[in-house]
Amino acid sequence: MSKTVRNTLFAGLTVLATSALTSTAWAISQGEIDSLARNLGYQFTILDNKSPAGFVSEIRLTLPKALPKGAWSVHVGFVAPMKTLDSEVFDLTHINGDNYVLTPKAGAILKPGATYSLRLTGDGRWYNGFKIMPNAYITADGVQARTIEATRTAVDPASGEEILPFHTPLADEAVTGSDDANVWMTPERLFHQTAQRQTNVAAPEFVILPTPAAIKRLEGAPLNLKAGLKFAINTNLSDVRAAVADLEGAGFRLSDSGVPVAITIDATASRPGSYRMTAQNGKIAITAADASGAAYALESLRQQAVFENGRLKPLEIIDAPRFAFRGLHIDVARNFQSKAYILGLIERMETYKLNQLHLHLGDDEGWRLAITDLPELTDIGGHRCHDPEENKCLLPQLGGLAEGGGYSDGYLTRDDYIEIVMAAKARHITVIPSFDMPGHSRAATRSMEARARRLIAEGKPEEAARYRLIDPEDATVYNSIQHYDDNTLNICIPSTYTFIEKVIDSIAEYHQAAGAPLKLYHIGADETAGAWKESKPCQALMQAENLTPEKMTPYFIQRVSAILDAKGIEPAGWSDGMGHVDPTKMPRVVQSNSWGGLFSGGVKEAHDHANRGWSVVMSTPDVMYLDMPYAFDPKERGYDWASRATDLYKVFVFMPENLPANAEVMKTVPNAPGTIADTTPLNGGKIAGMQGQLWSEGVRSAQIADYMLYPRVIALAERAWHTGVWEPAYVPGKTYSWGGGQVNGAALLNDWQSFNARLKPHLAALDKAGVRYRVPVPGARITGGVLEANVPYGGLTIQYRTKGGAWKTYSTPVAVTGPVELRTATAGGGRYSRSVTVQ
């Protein structure tokens, strides 16, 4: 939809939707809209998921018996492009992003109490019950928009997880399942999969995760850590104070009469983050390469000491990280997460020895960090509500409330951000700020346009233009990957770079105030929609610099990278944008986050960037995108474009330093066996690290963030810190295929089982911390009247019941009659998975 048409539509609805009137003579009242929002029935159903035209769906609107005497429309959220609407009563119009509007057709007469079926066809496939956005809303001229009550989220009383009651469950795999090789993860299929991955494993002696490089028992009596700990360190105790506080929080107090803990920092000992710890003869000695290594030693000590109830048997650990860069990315731009949530995340990152926090603070749907002298960025860009002019907020996207508030709203103040950076520094974590540019920038462009309008009205046109991000005369028509037509910075006007420098300088000042200078800044640089072609400043720039339209984004990346380099800050960006630059025009030190698909050119791209001498951080969406579902199951939430299923095992088996070898242990997105040929071998370059990503389009709460992150973050940390003995060494030019036998399957299975056996106390610790990790549903089958069940990870307790019966604990196969319902209980008790039924 063009901007002109959109503004015309918003300026005033011209269609009357009542039982008797066909003109707009009647003004609608706020009370009528409130009543309609409370009483309108709304149900969404997938009718066909295998049509060549795309998925076929239905919205059923049941009108209340009393209808407003005026024009009204319904806004709905679809992240998938909608292609057609089959309805005799309603029209469908795309506003922007995922915001669509249903408007009664001209002359339509709606019958009070009637139900109307709206048949919609959308692009692609619809694999789970969470792709539809909640909080559809009603608008009318002259009144406040209202969220339709029937489209709000709810909570499953059994599991405590968010559900969408208005989405009809996908229940028939033949109709609403996949048209490729993916099949629903039924309890029976899950039982079979879990049985293949598990055998009877002895109770673990050590539970430390990620796995240390070497650990063994020593002779002697246990150390009574409950008597307290007495620290001596040859550097500043504050460097490990956070890890010491974690020990105190676990019940190991500081005491002058406690077990002596001597910490020695020896920079010549090994690589950064490494440590050696010996606990024997009533004392503990730690030698570490740096303060981070000492802190990691204390985290390992805490995990094992808690497991042994404070009476630690003598041991020795020699440990060092696999990668210097062990990252976690969290998107707080699309939907916001609070300072408190981020601080909790930082604590758990140090527990699992992750050391890079990539905060995605700006995107189309939100700008989440206050910037000095630019209040509109957060006053408008930090909020979503139905304001067509966007003078007080951005339009609702991703299920944002029409009235504003909720998970759509919020931002970090300067003080908030400084506190986060300080907390991260105390735990040896680097904070990497990210504002995606030049695409994915709608929150910034709309906020700065609101600023310009305000200053123009105040008679300050020069100040209005100072930070403007668009060319108002640019007539280029484009459509971004997320279906926006106005989300890209104009890279040809000086004010864009004035704005960027303002943002960078503000953030650098925040970092300086926190005592942690800004070292790395992520410019985004991906998924630019191809704007600017009709912009006169861009036409002039292309002529002056001899650029084609395809070279415009690389020009932008190179220019911003030079700005960062001049300030002593390393530039980073997503690999698709970074790959198009001229390496000779980039700084010497550059980071590329490789997010190409394993089976779609990502290996070649990662190796190419590494061979340029860049730091390549594997951010592979097939495995490292933690917003993908845990299982191919219509009741599992998550986007699915990069992976139909990313379970804990899949994250565990990822091989970041031998990327082609992953073809042996995981299949393509359509679940077909694949081959990866190393067509661009590493030649002097190497992989610098790995990073998990939680994008937040569907993450509407801290609870959902927890569900998607944990326990997969623990497997991410395992691979970032520890190299599996089963991982084949990288051989340049080698080709791998599914089941090719080049990965030691027996060693892999043993390693997975060892990891899985150690997971339960970690889940119990998450329970104690109030983290709502995903509780896996059990696998189960009934054969000859005998119920068998297993659980994919964590050794958690399975419960079952027959119809009308009480829950019982499952331990061994048991005779049953009729359908059986099963669920899994958390390690700490009191919370359960959703239930499944077998018969």
Side-chain angles (χ1 to χ4, degrees), residues 10 132 163 211 223 241 294 325 335 340 347 389 466 501 514 550 562 688 796 822:
F10 277 141
I132 186 72
I163 56 174
T211 303
L223 288 74
R241 189 67 189 84
F325 190 109
N335 286 312
E347 292 181 12
E389 298 299 322
R466 185 178 181 188
E501 289 215 56
E550 294 72 26
L796 303 177
L822 300 99

Side-chain angles (χ1 to χ4, degrees), residues 205-206 214-223 276-285 304 308 311-318:
E205 184 175 12
F206 303 109
I215 184 170
K216 65 180 181 180
R217 286 292 185 198
L218 300 176
E219 299 271 330
L223 288 74
R276 178 172 185 159
M277 179 169 65
T278 302
Q280 192 179 35
N281 299 326
K283 59 185 179 181
I284 298 171
Q304 190 65 26
E308 297 188 31
R311 293 188 61 81
L312 182 68
K313 297 175 185 176
L315 55 74
E316 180 185 62
I317 301 174
I318 301 173

Side-chain angles (χ1 to χ4, degrees), residues 1-15 71-76 93-103 137-143 145 385-391 393-397 402 442 446 485-486:
M1 176 192 248
S2 73
K3 301 176 185 70
T4 301
V5 172
R6 182 165 65 241
N7 292 338
T8 300
L9 174 63
F10 277 141
L13 298 170
T14 59
V15 178
W72 52 272
S73 295
V74 175
H75 287 250
V76 296
T93 305
H94 180 225
I95 300 300
N96 216 357
D98 69 70
N99 196 316
Y100 289 76
V101 63
L102 293 166
T103 307
Y137 63 94
I138 298 172
T139 61
D141 283 350
V143 296
C385 68
H386 185 74
D387 171 24
E389 298 299 322
E390 296 185 309
N391 284 320
C393 57
L394 303 176
L395 277 173
Q397 302 287 342
R442 189 175 191 275
R446 301 314 301 161
D485 60 11
D486 58 352

Side-chain angles (χ1 to χ4, degrees), residues 186-427:
T186 62
E188 293 83 0
R189 290 167 179 159
L190 180 58
F191 177 86
H192 176 71
Q193 181 188 83
T194 302
Q196 288 183 314
R197 296 176 179 174
Q198 292 182 1
T199 57
N200 293 323
V201 180
E205 184 175 12
F206 303 109
V207 297
I208 299 167
L209 291 175
T211 303
I215 184 170
K216 65 180 181 180
R217 286 292 185 198
L218 300 176
E219 299 271 330
L223 288 74
N224 181 16
L225 304 189
K226 290 186 176 180
L229 301 170
K230 181 182 180 180
F231 283 90
I233 186 169
N234 73 340
T235 186
N236 195 335
L237 183 60
S238 65
D239 290 340
V240 294
R241 189 67 189 84
V244 171
D246 290 343
L247 279 162
E248 291 181 274
F252 306 116
R253 61 189 175 86
L254 302 185
S255 171
D256 288 339
S257 59
V259 174
V261 181
I263 300 175
T264 302
I265 304 299
D266 179 2
T268 67
S270 184
R271 59 182 177 268
S274 63
Y275 67 91
R276 178 172 185 159
M277 179 169 65
T278 302
Q280 192 179 35
N281 299 326
K283 59 185 179 181
I284 298 171
I286 295 170
T287 300
D290 53 17
S292 69
Y296 298 149
L298 295 179
E299 293 295 344
S300 295
L301 173 64
R302 177 171 63 92
Q303 292 180 21
Q304 190 65 26
V306 169
F307 179 67
E308 297 188 31
N309 295 315
R311 293 188 61 81
L312 182 68
K313 297 175 185 176
L315 55 74
E316 180 185 62
I317 301 174
I318 301 173
D319 205 4
R322 174 185 198 163
F323 290 125
F325 190 109
R326 305 178 302 281
L328 182 61
H329 161 290
I330 183 166
D331 172 9
V332 299
R334 269 62 174 265
N335 286 312
F336 187 62
Q337 295 295 340
S338 68
K339 177 186 72 174
Y341 186 84
I342 297 169
L343 292 175
L345 185 67
I346 287 170
E347 292 181 12
R348 284 174 282 284
M349 285 180 66
E350 189 183 42
T351 295
Y352 295 108
K353 304 179 176 70
L354 297 172
N355 68 346
Q356 306 287 329
L357 174 59
H358 181 163
L359 282 180
H360 187 65
L361 295 159
D363 213 293
D364 293 326
E365 297 83 6
W367 183 283
R368 306 300 185 175
L369 178 61
I371 298 298
T372 306
D373 301 326
L374 297 179
E376 282 87 356
L377 280 173
T378 46
D379 289 349
I380 294 169
H383 303 276
R384 298 204 289 267
C385 68
H386 185 74
D387 171 24
E389 298 299 322
E390 296 185 309
N391 284 320
K392 61 180 180 179
C393 57
L394 303 176
L395 277 173
Q397 302 287 342
L398 304 175
L401 293 166
E403 301 88 345
Y407 52 83
S408 293
D409 285 15
Y411 62 91
L412 301 172
T413 66
R414 175 184 181 275
D415 289 346
D416 290 337
Y417 187 78
I418 290 172
E419 184 178 347
I420 287 168
V421 175
M422 291 176 67
K425 178 188 176 186
R427 293 184 179 274

Side-chain angles (χ1 to χ4, degrees), residues 91 496 594:
D91 288 323
T496 290
S594 177

Side-chain angles (χ1 to χ4, degrees), residues 382-674:
H383 303 276
R384 298 204 289 267
C385 68
H386 185 74
D387 171 24
E389 298 299 322
E390 296 185 309
N391 284 320
K392 61 180 180 179
C393 57
L394 303 176
L395 277 173
Q397 302 287 342
L398 304 175
L401 293 166
E403 301 88 345
Y407 52 83
S408 293
D409 285 15
Y411 62 91
L412 301 172
T413 66
R414 175 184 181 275
D415 289 346
D416 290 337
Y417 187 78
I418 290 172
E419 184 178 347
I420 287 168
V421 175
M422 291 176 67
K425 178 188 176 186
R427 293 184 179 274
H428 312 284
I429 295 167
T430 298
V431 175
I432 305 167
S434 171
F435 297 89
D436 215 342
M437 299 176 185
H440 287 271
S441 295
R442 189 175 191 275
T445 63
R446 301 314 301 161
S447 297
M448 290 300 92
E449 282 303 285
R451 176 184 184 274
R453 288 193 296 270
R454 173 178 64 81
L455 291 169
I456 289 170
E458 294 174 1
K460 301 175 182 177
E462 291 184 1
E463 182 61 22
R466 185 178 181 188
Y467 296 113
R468 205 166 187 183
L469 300 175
I470 67 168
D471 168 13
E473 297 180 0
D474 182 4
T476 307
V477 176
Y478 64 91
N479 185 44
S480 78
I481 192 71
Q482 272 88 27
H483 322 299
Y484 292 101
D485 60 11
D486 58 352
N487 79 330
T488 304
L489 310 180
N490 189 298
I491 66 171
C492 310
I493 54 178
S495 54
T496 290
Y497 299 96
T498 304
F499 172 84
I500 291 171
E501 289 215 56
K502 177 70 170 178
V503 170
I504 294 169
D505 289 345
S506 293
I507 298 172
E509 186 272 319
Y510 302 168
H511 276 256
Q512 200 66 39
L518 181 60
K519 300 177 181 177
L520 187 65
Y521 180 93
H522 202 285
I523 63 178
D526 71 314
E527 296 183 338
T528 299
W532 324 306
K533 293 179 181 179
E534 304 300 324
S535 168
K536 290 181 180 179
C538 287
Q539 291 172 350
L541 178 67
M542 284 189 279
Q543 184 174 6
E545 299 287 340
N546 193 27
L547 298 172
T548 62
E550 294 72 26
K551 293 294 183 181
M552 296 293 278
T553 297
Y555 166 85
F556 171 84
I557 296 169
Q558 290 160 192
R559 185 166 173 178
V560 176
S561 295
I563 291 171
L564 289 164
D565 188 50
K567 298 176 186 293
I569 302 167
E570 180 182 344
W574 299 107
S575 55
D576 56 337
M578 302 295 278
H580 296 293
V581 304
D582 181 348
T584 66
K585 296 181 179 179
M586 292 291 286
R588 185 180 62 83
V589 180
V590 175
Q591 178 180 299
S592 175
N593 285 86
S594 177
W595 73 288
L598 285 172
F599 295 93
S600 55
V603 175
K604 179 180 184 298
E605 179 185 70
H607 288 183
D608 174 59
H609 290 196
N611 289 339
R612 298 181 186 187
W614 294 354
S615 297
V616 173
V617 174
M618 297 312 303
S619 307
T620 310
D622 316 49
V623 187
M624 294 288 98
Y625 273 32
L626 304 181
D627 54 315
M628 301 292 130
Y630 279 88
F632 189 63
D633 183 326
K635 293 183 179 179
E636 282 291 341
R637 67 186 322 117
Y639 274 26
D640 49 46
W641 63 268
S643 172
R644 304 287 189 262
T646 299
D647 63 6
L648 188 68
Y649 178 82
K650 186 176 183 181
V651 179
F652 178 85
V653 301
F654 181 55
M655 290 172 274
E657 293 183 283
N658 189 351
L659 295 170
N662 286 289
E664 289 238 350
V665 295
M666 57 188 73
K667 295 183 179 180
T668 66
V669 176
N671 201 31

